[in-house]
Amino acid sequence: AQSVTQPDIHITVSEGASLELRCNYSYGATPYLFWYVQSPGQGLQLLLKYFSGDTLVQGIKGFEAEFKRSQSSFNLRKPSVHWSDAAEYFCAVGPHISNFGNEKLTFGTGTRLTIIP
Amino acid sequence: DAGVTQSPTHLIKTRGQQVTLRCSPKSGHDTVSWYQQALGQGPQFIFQYYEEEERQRGNFPDRFSGHQFPNYSSELNVNALLLGDSALYLCASSSIVITLMNTEAFFGQGTRLTVV
């Protein structure tokens, strides 16, 4: 069964500092990997996705993530955070495109990001 | 493009009642998935609809049922509500056409259901 672990429940970062949110996944084949962001009371917005090719993927709002198969990780990074980045971040895994990439997503429990001035 | 729209935004129901939540997918999308997000948790997959049929189901009891209409919109029904059904219910739409451009689901803002 597929699963996602986000080991950090809450992270606090100073504005302008760098950020790394951790994500580890368990999946029996090549997965789709996603990072979503959720602001309070809002739905989920896709930041970036990985399904093949270059293991470093760029997303919106200056975020990037690196897929490391040997570590089963897909960590999210940003070189300099802004106060508007404060939100909940979810990593998710889904089946590979060969299994119709619209099947269910399995989400981690999320990491809440707080930005301090 | 209005994106994925869900209604109502908030809902309060009494234990034992039944509730219907609605979702209109993003233009051009034909597949609708429903997720339950309990407070402080990640979304949990309930089921997915395509061509008006349930394609896949998560680990939810039969009290949770759904429907998809010919215009691709969808409803989620929950019978015999329990206090534990209180959550944010998210609808996600996607396209069954497998292309590199369509490998993602778009989420609505959700319906906040409170069972008292």
Side-chain angles (χ1 to χ4, degrees):
Chain A
Q2 59 198 55
S3 66
V4 176
T5 301
Q6 293 182 249
D8 304 306
I9 297 174
H10 184 204
I11 284 182
T12 300
V13 177
S14 298
E15 190 170 15
S18 64
L19 170 71
E20 182 169 25
L21 302 182
R22 296 183 290 167
C23 172
N24 292 98
Y25 70 90
S26 174
Y27 190 72
T30 304
Y32 275 141
L33 293 162
F34 306 82
W35 274 99
Y36 283 87
V37 60
Q38 185 177 39
S39 298
Q42 302 296 310
L44 300 172
Q45 180 183 22
L46 181 69
L47 288 175
L48 48 76
K49 62 191 177 189
Y50 170 81
F51 48 86
S52 67
D54 193 348
T55 56
L56 184 64
V57 294
Q58 302 296 321
I60 62 171
K61 304 184 180 185
F63 285 93
E64 66 178 26
E66 185 171 12
F67 171 58
K68 292 185 177 180
R69 185 187 302 275
S70 62
Q71 299 177 19
S72 297
S73 69
F74 188 57
N75 293 348
L76 181 71
R77 300 195 295 248
K78 187 170 184 178
S80 177
V81 297
H82 185 262
W83 64 266
S84 60
D85 293 326
E88 190 91 18
Y89 290 80
F90 293 95
C91 180
V93 62
H96 191 260
I97 190 172
S98 61
N99 289 324
F100 289 99
N102 295 298
E103 307 294 347
K104 70 175 184 179
L105 295 176
T106 298
F107 286 84
T109 52
T111 298
R112 182 160 60 94
L113 176 64
T114 298
I115 308 295
I116 56 176
Chain B
D1 183 2
V4 180
T5 58
Q6 293 186 243
S7 63
T9 305
H10 295 86
L11 202 54
I12 299 175
K13 288 288 189 178
T14 302
R15 189 172 46 184
Q17 285 188 314
Q18 179 264 344
V19 68
T20 297
L21 310 181
R22 295 175 176 82
C23 172
S24 293
K26 180 179 171 64
S27 177
H29 284 183
D30 54 15
T31 302
V32 173
S33 301
W34 287 92
Y35 290 80
Q36 180 196 65
Q37 186 179 15
L39 198 62
Q41 299 297 314
Q44 299 287 319
F45 177 79
I46 302 175
F47 43 53
Q48 182 184 78
Y49 276 84
Y50 170 68
E51 290 191 333
E52 303 178 47
E53 291 188 358
E54 184 181 292
R55 285 187 74 223
Q56 191 174 8
R57 189 179 184 91
N59 189 25
F60 280 80
D62 292 344
R63 297 187 298 108
F64 289 77
S65 63
H67 187 79
Q68 186 179 34
F69 299 93
N71 66 353
Y72 308 121
S73 67
S74 176
E75 288 182 348
L76 164 65
N77 301 292
V78 187
N79 295 321
L81 285 167
L82 303 174
L83 297 179
D85 295 331
S86 296
L88 179 68
Y89 288 84
L90 295 166
C91 169
S93 75
S94 55
S95 171
I96 204 70
V97 175
I98 304 304
T99 70
L100 292 179
M101 299 299 292
N102 284 320
T103 55
E104 65 184 83
F106 288 81
F107 284 81
Q109 304 238 20
T111 294
R112 173 72 62 187
L113 172 64
T114 302
V115 182
V116 298

